[in-house]
Amino acid sequence: SPMTSDDVPGLEGTFPSEDEWCGGLIDDTSCTISPYQEPEAKMKVGYIAVFVIVGLVVFGVIALWIHRKMLKRQEKRYKEHFVRGIAKHINVTPTSGQIMSAE
């Protein structure tokens, strides 16, 4: 059957009680307040959250601006490449019809 108390059957009274453990025979440190307490936070949680959110928004805006700037440069590069490709295949030598109409 499962144990329903802190006492082990057959070993009752062999383990120290709470009074003996905390200040009696053993004086365990877990029964007292530790001198190494964490100090109270100087900054409130709300301020930290606002700081993080504002930082993320600023980072996002800067990243979006850089992304759009790079897209515009890429678009300009593609247009120039396209125009140069077309210009390579255009023949600018005069044809016989152009010479006759100029006279």
Side-chain angles (χ1 to χ4, degrees), residues 55-71:
L56 289 173
V57 167
V58 168
F59 176 77
V61 167
I62 292 172
L64 181 65
W65 177 74
I66 290 172
H67 179 68
R68 286 189 177 179
K69 187 175 179 181
M70 290 175 66
L71 281 178

Side-chain angles (χ1 to χ4, degrees), residues 6 8 11 15 17-18 26 28 43 52 75 83 88 97 103:
D6 293 333
V8 179
L11 297 177
F15 299 110
S17 66
E18 188 73 26
I26 301 172
D28 187 23
M43 205 171 194
V52 169
E75 182 180 356
V83 168
K88 283 182 184 177
E103 292 177 354

